[in-house]
Amino acid sequence: LKLLSKRQVRDRVLYSFAHIDRLEKAGLFPRRVRLGQSRVGWVEEEITAWLQRKIQARDSSPPGATVDDGERLITAPFDFLH
């Protein structure tokens, strides 16, 4: 079992700390493990599985479509604005 620091998670998923926190609070990102009063980590396998799900969603979507952080399928540019 390997734990990743917040910085390591950010480097892997390419999101800001604030966005990682928002996704986690919304239940859309793996939960952290509290290691001490001011130290947290994430289970590496859970982060890897989350990334694999993102890749699978991309690969099963129609060409040109993207999946946002809420797991909604966006089929056209800016259709999330409507």
Side-chain angles (χ1 to χ4, degrees), residues 15 19 23 28 50-77 79-80:
Y15 287 155
H19 194 59
L23 290 175
L28 299 172
W50 181 85
L51 286 168
Q52 288 173 334
R53 285 192 300 275
K54 290 289 193 184
I55 292 167
Q56 289 170 346
R58 176 204 64 192
D59 292 347
S60 64
S61 299
T66 59
V67 177
D68 73 3
D69 294 326
E71 305 301 323
R72 291 182 302 123
L73 183 64
I74 298 174
T75 55
D79 103 310
F80 59 91

Side-chain angles (χ1 to χ4, degrees), residues 1-5 9 12 29-33 35 40-50:
L1 180 70
K2 181 176 179 184
L3 293 177
L4 301 174
S5 70
V9 170
R12 288 191 186 204
F29 195 78
R31 292 176 58 198
R32 66 189 76 197
V33 176
L35 302 170
V40 296
W42 283 261
V43 178
E44 181 180 36
E45 292 84 5
E46 293 175 0
I47 299 301
T48 300
W50 181 85

Side-chain angles (χ1 to χ4, degrees), residues 3-21:
L3 293 177
L4 301 174
S5 70
K6 196 168 194 176
R7 184 164 304 211
Q8 290 172 312
V9 170
R10 182 195 64 191
D11 290 346
R12 288 191 186 204
V13 303
L14 307 177
Y15 287 155
S16 70
F17 294 143
H19 194 59
I20 290 169
D21 290 342

